[in-house]
């Protein structure tokens, strides 16, 4: 029954209200506020250098990274579907944004972020969040490893102290930076970047709870201030958030920016829901709402561009720190955003003195942590199909871009999965029940009657093989097709079945069908397949009835001949 306009409005209203924060969210906040506050401050210490580094890498500067962490982090914390999620700028997002900055500039990035926010809200209202769980693991691991390599390549110019490297792709820019470094080496920048990265990686093994990223950045900044070395700095930052503005809006640019916006929205949805799933797995009793999470990320990406921030998503690394620090509610992620805002207000001049090479070191260490070699190796050895999807997704991510990589990886995974399913379909000749017949009768039956059992799916990917096998039947008078074990039947499979039956009948072979399930019978009837067999009474509810009739034909009994 169609919805009335009033009913549709009520349904839409209920769906929107279901995406908004409820009493359960605030009840969780009251459980352990002190632990949440401590966890939020801990995450802020870890997030500060990452926000600065990702802002610089995106091309919009450290200020944009901080604004994103504050604004998007607060909005996503309040409206998101996870109690433990921490949002802000991420490495994966900067990989997508760099070409957008190059083509459309800073205002284009802000416009793309707002458009992506609207797409995410639409996905939430359509309740599509739950379908991200079906993304194949090799695709996820492949593009994660590819992102790590791309982020590392993005840091090469800053780590080498090169500010004028050029190239259309990130690997080309890195190669150009290496070439310029060889001609005019700047060992100080390289030493700072490698020193910060080594401190983070070794320190995490020694004392996992200490914020070695912040200690490394602080140490590099002090060294740059005291020692006579030439290092590029972040530069001046405004003390406070800029006033919100819609100056970036350009309706005429919507068409050209839409592909980039869809890519950003797809990445934000994917990374956020994967991060929330990881957070659920690290705790007991926590379960995120995928549609509310998309809604919260959509609002966050609408709010961030108003203040000059870049598109945001949930961050797996910061979310993991939040969980390990004892967070139990949204208060922790909100505290992280407030703490970063306080740093912007109080310590902006100090933050502006941080060397870019130190931030490059932070991200180099982050990329090493992103890649789990054991997981990649296990996937590569699991099956040949998994290995192909993993390597292909990784390669396309590094050589072209992330969105293309996910699309290619998913397409190849689907094709290989269909191939595997199609191979599971079998056309197997089965022996007939001897029953109460003489040896002479058995010989007659064996010579002139063949029964085939169809196992598995009969759909477009398996239909061609089925047609070839069935068409090779020879030297028989009657063929029984047993269809009770057919798991899937689509239009292509039904048409191929009809074609095979027509070929057999054209050679004078009588075809009997048995065991068609109701769902498959509807497909065959709708498409008019085997209608002549139905009219002739050659479709049977079960195999024994078909065998009895086939024996009657072979032995020339009156019942079979008269039917």
């Amino acid at each position: 029954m169609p919805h009335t306009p009033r009913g549709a409005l009520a349904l839409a209203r209920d769906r929107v209200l279901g995406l908004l924060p409820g009493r359960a969210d605030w009840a969780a906040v009251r459980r352990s506020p002190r632990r949440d506050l401590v966890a939020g401050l801990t995450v802020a210490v870890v997030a500060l250098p990452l926000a600065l580094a990702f802002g610089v890498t995106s091309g919009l500067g450290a200020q944009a990274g901080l604004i994103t962490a504050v604004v998007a982090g607060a909005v996503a914390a309040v409206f998101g579907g996870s109690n433990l999620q921490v949002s802000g700028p991420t490495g994966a997002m900067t990989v997508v944004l760099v070409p957008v900055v190059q083509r459309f500039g800073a205002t284009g990035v802000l416009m793309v972020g707002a458009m992506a926010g609207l797409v995410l809200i639409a996905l939430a209202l359509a309740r599509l969040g739950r379908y991200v769980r079906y993304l194949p693991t090799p695709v996820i691991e492949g593009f994660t490893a590819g992102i790590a390599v791309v982020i590392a390549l993005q840091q090469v110019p800053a780590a080498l102290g090169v500010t004028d490297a050029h190239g259309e792709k990130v690997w080309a820019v890195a190669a150009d930076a290496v070439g310029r470094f060889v001609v005019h080496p700047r060992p100080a920048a390289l030493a700072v970047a490698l020193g910060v990265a080594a401190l983070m990686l070794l320190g995490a093994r020694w004392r996992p709870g200490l914020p070695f990223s912040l200690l490394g950045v602080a140490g590099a900044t002090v060294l740059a201030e005291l020692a006579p070395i030439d290092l590029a700095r972040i530069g001046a930052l405004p003390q406070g958030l800029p006033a919100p503005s819609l100056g970036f809006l350009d309706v005429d640019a919507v068409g050209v920016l839409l592909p980039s916006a869809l890519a950003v929205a797809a990445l934000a949805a994917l990374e956020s829901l994967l991060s929330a799933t990881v957070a659920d797995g690290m705790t007991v009793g926590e379960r995120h709402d995928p549609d509310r999470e998309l809604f919260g990320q959509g609002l966050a990406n609408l709010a961030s561009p108003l203040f000059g921030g870049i598109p945001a998503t949930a961050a797996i690394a910061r979310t993991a720190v939040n969980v390990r620090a004892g967070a139990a509610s949204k208060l922790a992620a909100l505290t992280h955003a407030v703490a970063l805002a306080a740093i912007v207000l109080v310590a902006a001049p100090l933050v502006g003195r941080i060397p870019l090479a130190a931030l490059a070191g932070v991200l180099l260490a982050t990329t090493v942590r992103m890649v789990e070699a054991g997981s990649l190796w296990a996937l590569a050895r699991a099956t040949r199909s998994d290995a192909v999807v993993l390597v292909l997704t990784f390669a396309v991510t590094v050589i072209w871009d992330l969105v293309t990589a996910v699309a290619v990886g998913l397409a190849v995974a689907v094709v290989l999965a269909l191939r595997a399913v199609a191979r599971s379909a079998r056309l197997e000749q089965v022996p007939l029940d001897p029953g109460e017949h003489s040896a002479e009768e058995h010989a007659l039956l064996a010579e002139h009657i063949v029964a085939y059992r169809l196992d598995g799916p009969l759909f477009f990917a398996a239909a061609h093989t089925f047609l070839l096998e069935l068409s090779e039947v020879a030297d028989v008078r009657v063929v029984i097709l047993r269809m009770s074990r057919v798991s899937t039947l689509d239009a292509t499979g039904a048409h191929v079945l009809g074609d095979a039956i027509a070929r057999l009948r054209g050679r004078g072979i009588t075809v009997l069908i048995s065991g068609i399930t109701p769902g498959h019978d509807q497909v065959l009837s709708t498409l008019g397949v085997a209608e002549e067999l139905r009219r002739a009474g050659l479709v049977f509810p079960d195999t024994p009835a078909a065998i009895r009739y086939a024996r009657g034909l072979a032995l020339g009994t009156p019942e079979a001949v008269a039917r």
Side-chain angles (χ1 to χ4, degrees), residues 92-93 95-105 107-117 119-120 253-269 301 311 401-404:
M93 190 61 76
V95 172
V96 177
L97 293 180
V98 168
V100 178
V101 175
Q102 293 173 347
R103 289 187 61 193
F104 307 110
T107 56
V109 172
L110 302 182
M111 187 73 177
V112 163
M115 292 170 63
V119 173
L120 289 168
V254 169
V256 71
L257 293 175
L258 184 59
S260 299
L262 293 175
V264 168
L267 178 59
N301 279 284
D401 60 74
L402 179 66
V403 178
T404 303

Side-chain angles (χ1 to χ4, degrees), residues 396-418:
V396 176
T397 300
V398 176
I399 298 173
W400 280 282
D401 60 74
L402 179 66
V403 178
T404 303
V406 173
V408 170
L410 191 58
V412 173
V414 169
V415 170
L416 293 176
L418 289 175

